[in-house]
Amino acid sequence: MKTQKRIYWSALGVLTAIILFSVYNYFTNYEMIAGFFEHLGYPTYLIYPLAIAKILGLIAVWTNFSSWLKEWAYAGFFFDTLLAFFAHYITDGQDYLFAFVALIATLIAYFVDRELRP
């Protein structure tokens, strides 16, 4: 049980760090992120709503307020990291490491969370 808790909190910590780093960049380096979005083929009007959704998702996961809301937050993180991974991998074949790590951390945190924090 102790090992599961360490794995869970480590995975959630890694996921949180990567998500907060992306949110920070979305708000402070808008022009750079807009260039990345255009390069990857995504519309730039998604930058701010995506940043806000990521913050709300982290709040839902960390507070454990509602299991339904937490499930949706994990689903959002899964699709966000999965699409980010494939977008980076297919378009330029590099810079996909953080998206891959976030995807793995999302999956680990979700499945261990279901056992530890129902």
Side-chain angles (χ1 to χ4, degrees):
M1 190 67 151
K2 226 177 202 186
T3 305
Q4 275 187 325
K5 285 183 180 181
R6 286 185 183 147
I7 290 171
Y8 170 71
W9 290 112
S10 298
L12 190 58
V14 167
L15 176 64
T16 301
I18 291 173
I19 295 296
L20 286 177
F21 178 73
S22 71
V23 168
Y24 171 77
N25 278 325
Y26 284 12
F27 284 126
T28 60
N29 300 324
Y30 180 82
E31 294 301 321
M32 180 183 74
I33 299 299
F36 289 149
F37 269 57
E38 289 169 356
H39 173 70
L40 296 173
Y42 293 132
T44 57
Y45 62 81
L46 290 178
I47 294 173
Y48 289 133
L50 187 57
I52 293 168
K54 287 180 178 185
I55 292 170
L56 294 175
L58 285 176
I59 292 170
V61 169
W62 277 94
T63 59
N64 202 20
F65 175 71
S66 165
S67 61
W68 176 81
L69 195 58
K70 188 171 59 170
E71 290 279 330
W72 277 101
Y74 275 123
F77 288 143
F78 173 74
F79 288 117
D80 179 58
T81 56
L82 183 70
L83 292 173
F85 170 75
F86 280 115
H88 286 288
Y89 185 76
I90 290 172
T91 56
D92 54 14
Q94 57 189 5
D95 296 334
Y96 59 84
L97 180 64
F98 280 118
F100 182 72
V101 170
L103 177 63
I104 299 301
T106 300
L107 291 172
I108 291 171
Y110 172 73
F111 286 114
V112 177
D113 182 20
R114 291 179 57 109
E115 295 178 20
L116 294 179
R117 298 172 65 192

